[in-house]
Each structure stands twice: as structure tokens, then as C-alpha cells.
Amino acid sequence: MTIPSIEGLLRDLAPQVLAALLRRYGGTQFDICEDAVQDAMLAAHQQWPVDGLPADPLAWLITTARRRLIDQIRSETSRRERENRQVALAHPLADAISTQADDSVRLLLLCCHPALTTPAQIALTLRAVAGLTTAQIAHAYLVPESTVAQRITRAKARIRESGSNFPDPASVSDRLDPVLAVIYVMFSEGHTVAAGEELNDVRLTDEAIRLTRLLHASLPDNREVAGMLALLLLTDARRPARTSPTGMLIPLDEQDRSHWNRDLIAEGVAILEQTLPGATPAGPYALQAAIAAVHDEATTAASTDWPQILLLYRLLERQTDNPVVTLNAAVAEAMVSGPLAGLTAVERLVQSGRQVDPQRVAAVRAHLLERAGRTVDAIDEYRNAAKGTRSIPERDYQMRRAQHLRDDDVPSSV
């Protein structure tokens, strides 16, 4: 197995190893368990390329992390505490592998500890379960990296001080809102990576879908869990057409829809059809799934039912104060009433003072200005959008659009 393949495997297994240790030794040991997992990952990174992949990589990592954990306890506690903990640690982890699916949910629940604020819950889960860096989390929430680092550190300390044990999976309903928020951010970051050469991080999107499937299996009658699963499936179905063979970003209206995953679309639509009917209004995730379904069921970009999408965005705006929703609604309004109407909606959002990513605003403005025929202004906004992103595929797309408009705007020689 190559080094990149080993690194990918370690990234996938790290949350399972951490969850196994926490399940056995309790959530109050979060810091030392995480340190032990990191030591095990380093040992694997050094040994596996030389010695070869073990027959059971997960069991190898759990055993190694457990040994590191024992070493830490021996070096950090008094003789009496050390003896007491060694008795507890003597129990084998034979059941860790068989319960790894439950461990994923358990780790989610621990990170969404009720003693933590919602931002801290999300930051800790994205770090521990998904393996996101502080930079990726900061980008997702439009806050400085130092703020995210402080949230994670304080969250660990708060869990340790609370003295709570690892939560029972049955308590998932009590912590459902932050759990779904975490999964949503995890998928979003994987769907459009904040920085680097790749547009997608399939590991994150696949993990988000896997976790949502586990939640849906545990709570089959919960409409928002079902809506979340439908949303992720319907969105991920378009991934094969979002980039060219060379990795260039392809916008939705230019994608080859024959490359969309029709099996995922059919599954997502089926879940949605069972989710939307009900006495109470659909929640935000179900509404977003409905929007995704309208896009996915359109055979061409021109046949997209934009009035229905705009209506769904209006319903969504009533349920959430997310400025990204308002920005997307502005695009839908432009498709229904013309680009000037969309630009007006964008300006209302900017003037409202709500926090919104300037790069997103610039990208939407550029698109609408181009449609309105304001070429010079569109070029400026495309360049602003390119400067504001650390994603190379997004940056290259914005620069290509600006160059295309500039070339078209140059009069031919006589």
C-alpha cells in the first residue's frame, strides 16, 4: 500500500479508534485518549510502509493507542491512581471492532455534550469525528482560526470537568440539533473544500452520509433526519459532473447531467416523498432537500422549475437566519424575475449587516452582473471572488470567467 493510501486509511480509522477508547474509558479522558490516538497514528505512519499493512488495521491501532494510554497514565498519576487505572485498563477491547458503527454515533453524542455551547459542540465534533483542521472549521463558520482552537480546548476542558461518562446512544434525540448541524458542516466542507487543489473531499462527504444513514436507522420516523439524508444524497449525486477530467470546476447549468448518479437521486427522492407529507411544516433540511430534488429532476438547466425553487427558498428563509440561504434565494429570484432583481436582493443582504462570506457575495454578483450585460463590473467581481478563495478550482474558475469576458469585450481589429 502506498504512503497516500496509508494516510487515507489512517484518516478514516482515527475517529473509530478514538471512539473505542472513549467508549471504554469515559468521556472525561478525552484529552489523553486523543493524544494516545495521535501517537498510534504516528507509529502506524512510521511502521506500516516498512513492515506492511497489519491483517486488522483497526485492531492494531486500538491496541497501540491503548498501550500509549497506559504509558501516559503511568507517567502522569500517583502510584495509587496508577494501580486503580491499570485494573480498569486490564479489560480487553474485544468488542470494540464489532461496535464500531455504534461508536461513530457515540462519539458524535459525546462531542455534542449538553454542557457545551453549540459552536463548541460543532467545532469539537468536526475535529474529533471528521478530522477537519482548525482552518477548515474556521472557514466554514467565518471566524478566526484562533477562535476555533479556543473553542476546542475549552470544550475538552468542560467535558473533563463535568465528570460525565460516555453517553448512551438512546440519548441521540436529545442532542439531535447539534448532531445534524455537525453533519451538515462536515458534508459542506467535503462538497466544496475550503482550500487546496481538490474541489471535493470524498472522505468527508462519504462519512457525513454514513453517519446520517446510522442516525436514520436509529430514528426512522424523524423528518429532519430523513430530510438531511435526502439532501446529502441528492447533492452528492451531482458530484461526478462538477469537475472536468483535469479537475476544473463546472457550474450547475453547464454540467453533463447524464453523469449524475441516478441511483442516489432515486433514493433521495423516495426518502423525500415519505418525509414531506405531514401535519407540520417541513424543517430546514427537508426544504433544502426539496430544492435539490427540483434541480436533480430537471432534465436540462433550462427546464429547471425556478419559481418552485424560489418559493422553497422563501419558506426556508422563514425558518433560518442563514445569510447563505438569502444569497441563494437572490440567485433564484434572478432566474425568475431577471438579474437586476437578483442584484437588488444581494444589495439588501449586504446592507442588512448580516455576516456573509464576501467571496460568496462577489461570486454571485459576478454571475448576475454577467447575465445583466454589465461586463466590466462582472470582470471586477469575478476577480474579487478569485482573490477571496483559497480553493484552487474555484479560483481558477473565477479567473477563467473574467478572462472570457475580457476577451469577448475586446473589439476585433479592422
Side-chain angles (χ1 to χ4, degrees), residues 278-293:
T280 58
Y285 297 121
L287 286 174
Q288 290 179 73
I291 293 170

PDB file of all heavy atoms in Angstrom, residues 278-293:
ATOM      1  N   GLY A 278     -47.124  15.600   5.868  1.00  0.00           N
ATOM      2  CA  GLY A 278     -47.260  15.606   7.318  1.00  0.00           C
ATOM      3  C   GLY A 278     -48.080  16.781   7.784  1.00  0.00           C
ATOM      4  O   GLY A 278     -48.313  17.738   7.037  1.00  0.00           O
ATOM      5  N   ALA A 279     -48.520  16.708   9.036  1.00  0.00           N
ATOM      6  CA  ALA A 279     -49.370  17.769   9.576  1.00  0.00           C
ATOM      7  C   ALA A 279     -48.578  19.031   9.881  1.00  0.00           C
ATOM      8  O   ALA A 279     -49.123  20.129   9.862  1.00  0.00           O
ATOM      9  CB  ALA A 279     -50.059  17.268  10.847  1.00  0.00           C
ATOM     10  N   THR A 280     -47.297  18.883  10.162  1.00  0.00           N
ATOM     11  CA  THR A 280     -46.462  20.042  10.482  1.00  0.00           C
ATOM     12  C   THR A 280     -45.609  20.429   9.278  1.00  0.00           C
ATOM     13  O   THR A 280     -45.300  19.582   8.434  1.00  0.00           O
ATOM     14  CB  THR A 280     -45.544  19.730  11.677  1.00  0.00           C
ATOM     15  OG1 THR A 280     -44.734  18.591  11.357  1.00  0.00           O
ATOM     16  CG2 THR A 280     -46.380  19.420  12.914  1.00  0.00           C
ATOM     17  N   PRO A 281     -45.198  21.701   9.194  1.00  0.00           N
ATOM     18  CA  PRO A 281     -44.358  22.128   8.062  1.00  0.00           C
ATOM     19  C   PRO A 281     -43.022  21.397   8.041  1.00  0.00           C
ATOM     20  O   PRO A 281     -42.494  21.011   9.084  1.00  0.00           O
ATOM     21  CB  PRO A 281     -44.171  23.635   8.319  1.00  0.00           C
ATOM     22  CG  PRO A 281     -45.275  24.016   9.248  1.00  0.00           C
ATOM     23  CD  PRO A 281     -45.545  22.819  10.088  1.00  0.00           C
ATOM     24  N   ALA A 282     -42.492  21.220   6.858  1.00  0.00           N
ATOM     25  CA  ALA A 282     -41.185  20.593   6.717  1.00  0.00           C
ATOM     26  C   ALA A 282     -40.112  21.481   7.339  1.00  0.00           C
ATOM     27  O   ALA A 282     -40.212  22.708   7.313  1.00  0.00           O
ATOM     28  CB  ALA A 282     -40.877  20.336   5.250  1.00  0.00           C
ATOM     29  N   GLY A 283     -39.080  20.868   7.898  1.00  0.00           N
ATOM     30  CA  GLY A 283     -37.990  21.594   8.514  1.00  0.00           C
ATOM     31  C   GLY A 283     -36.967  22.058   7.487  1.00  0.00           C
ATOM     32  O   GLY A 283     -37.077  21.767   6.290  1.00  0.00           O
ATOM     33  N   PRO A 284     -35.919  22.760   7.937  1.00  0.00           N
ATOM     34  CA  PRO A 284     -34.947  23.344   7.002  1.00  0.00           C
ATOM     35  C   PRO A 284     -34.193  22.322   6.162  1.00  0.00           C
ATOM     36  O   PRO A 284     -33.919  22.570   4.988  1.00  0.00           O
ATOM     37  CB  PRO A 284     -33.996  24.127   7.911  1.00  0.00           C
ATOM     38  CG  PRO A 284     -34.238  23.603   9.292  1.00  0.00           C
ATOM     39  CD  PRO A 284     -35.652  23.154   9.328  1.00  0.00           C
ATOM     40  N   TYR A 285     -33.858  21.175   6.726  1.00  0.00           N
ATOM     41  CA  TYR A 285     -33.113  20.193   5.939  1.00  0.00           C
ATOM     42  C   TYR A 285     -34.010  19.557   4.877  1.00  0.00           C
ATOM     43  O   TYR A 285     -33.569  19.307   3.750  1.00  0.00           O
ATOM     44  CB  TYR A 285     -32.507  19.126   6.847  1.00  0.00           C
ATOM     45  CG  TYR A 285     -31.491  19.675   7.813  1.00  0.00           C
ATOM     46  CD1 TYR A 285     -31.657  19.537   9.190  1.00  0.00           C
ATOM     47  CD2 TYR A 285     -30.368  20.359   7.358  1.00  0.00           C
ATOM     48  CE1 TYR A 285     -30.731  20.054  10.089  1.00  0.00           C
ATOM     49  CE2 TYR A 285     -29.438  20.889   8.245  1.00  0.00           C
ATOM     50  CZ  TYR A 285     -29.629  20.737   9.611  1.00  0.00           C
ATOM     51  OH  TYR A 285     -28.714  21.262  10.489  1.00  0.00           O
ATOM     52  N   ALA A 286     -35.242  19.298   5.239  1.00  0.00           N
ATOM     53  CA  ALA A 286     -36.178  18.738   4.259  1.00  0.00           C
ATOM     54  C   ALA A 286     -36.453  19.737   3.133  1.00  0.00           C
ATOM     55  O   ALA A 286     -36.568  19.350   1.962  1.00  0.00           O
ATOM     56  CB  ALA A 286     -37.477  18.340   4.944  1.00  0.00           C
ATOM     57  N   LEU A 287     -36.546  21.026   3.469  1.00  0.00           N
ATOM     58  CA  LEU A 287     -36.769  22.042   2.442  1.00  0.00           C
ATOM     59  C   LEU A 287     -35.569  22.149   1.507  1.00  0.00           C
ATOM     60  O   LEU A 287     -35.718  22.283   0.285  1.00  0.00           O
ATOM     61  CB  LEU A 287     -37.054  23.396   3.099  1.00  0.00           C
ATOM     62  CG  LEU A 287     -38.437  23.556   3.744  1.00  0.00           C
ATOM     63  CD1 LEU A 287     -38.528  24.890   4.484  1.00  0.00           C
ATOM     64  CD2 LEU A 287     -39.542  23.472   2.690  1.00  0.00           C
ATOM     65  N   GLN A 288     -34.368  22.084   2.068  1.00  0.00           N
ATOM     66  CA  GLN A 288     -33.179  22.111   1.212  1.00  0.00           C
ATOM     67  C   GLN A 288     -33.123  20.880   0.318  1.00  0.00           C
ATOM     68  O   GLN A 288     -32.690  20.952  -0.838  1.00  0.00           O
ATOM     69  CB  GLN A 288     -31.915  22.196   2.073  1.00  0.00           C
ATOM     70  CG  GLN A 288     -31.739  23.540   2.772  1.00  0.00           C
ATOM     71  CD  GLN A 288     -30.493  23.574   3.614  1.00  0.00           C
ATOM     72  OE1 GLN A 288     -29.380  23.641   3.103  1.00  0.00           O
ATOM     73  NE2 GLN A 288     -30.660  23.522   4.921  1.00  0.00           N
ATOM     74  N   ALA A 289     -33.565  19.752   0.855  1.00  0.00           N
ATOM     75  CA  ALA A 289     -33.617  18.542   0.044  1.00  0.00           C
ATOM     76  C   ALA A 289     -34.612  18.693  -1.096  1.00  0.00           C
ATOM     77  O   ALA A 289     -34.371  18.233  -2.221  1.00  0.00           O
ATOM     78  CB  ALA A 289     -33.989  17.344   0.919  1.00  0.00           C
ATOM     79  N   ALA A 290     -35.728  19.359  -0.817  1.00  0.00           N
ATOM     80  CA  ALA A 290     -36.728  19.590  -1.862  1.00  0.00           C
ATOM     81  C   ALA A 290     -36.150  20.464  -2.969  1.00  0.00           C
ATOM     82  O   ALA A 290     -36.403  20.230  -4.163  1.00  0.00           O
ATOM     83  CB  ALA A 290     -37.974  20.241  -1.257  1.00  0.00           C
ATOM     84  N   ILE A 291     -35.356  21.464  -2.592  1.00  0.00           N
ATOM     85  CA  ILE A 291     -34.700  22.316  -3.594  1.00  0.00           C
ATOM     86  C   ILE A 291     -33.733  21.490  -4.438  1.00  0.00           C
ATOM     87  O   ILE A 291     -33.705  21.595  -5.670  1.00  0.00           O
ATOM     88  CB  ILE A 291     -33.961  23.473  -2.905  1.00  0.00           C
ATOM     89  CG1 ILE A 291     -34.972  24.429  -2.251  1.00  0.00           C
ATOM     90  CG2 ILE A 291     -33.077  24.239  -3.897  1.00  0.00           C
ATOM     91  CD1 ILE A 291     -34.336  25.464  -1.338  1.00  0.00           C
ATOM     92  N   ALA A 292     -32.951  20.655  -3.779  1.00  0.00           N
ATOM     93  CA  ALA A 292     -32.007  19.795  -4.501  1.00  0.00           C
ATOM     94  C   ALA A 292     -32.740  18.851  -5.443  1.00  0.00           C
ATOM     95  O   ALA A 292     -32.266  18.581  -6.559  1.00  0.00           O
ATOM     96  CB  ALA A 292     -31.156  19.002  -3.501  1.00  0.00           C
ATOM     97  N   ALA A 293     -33.904  18.369  -5.023  1.00  0.00           N
ATOM     98  CA  ALA A 293     -34.677  17.451  -5.859  1.00  0.00           C
ATOM     99  C   ALA A 293     -35.185  18.136  -7.122  1.00  0.00           C
ATOM    100  O   ALA A 293     -35.205  17.533  -8.206  1.00  0.00           O
ATOM    101  CB  ALA A 293     -35.839  16.873  -5.062  1.00  0.00           C
TER     102      ALA A 293
END
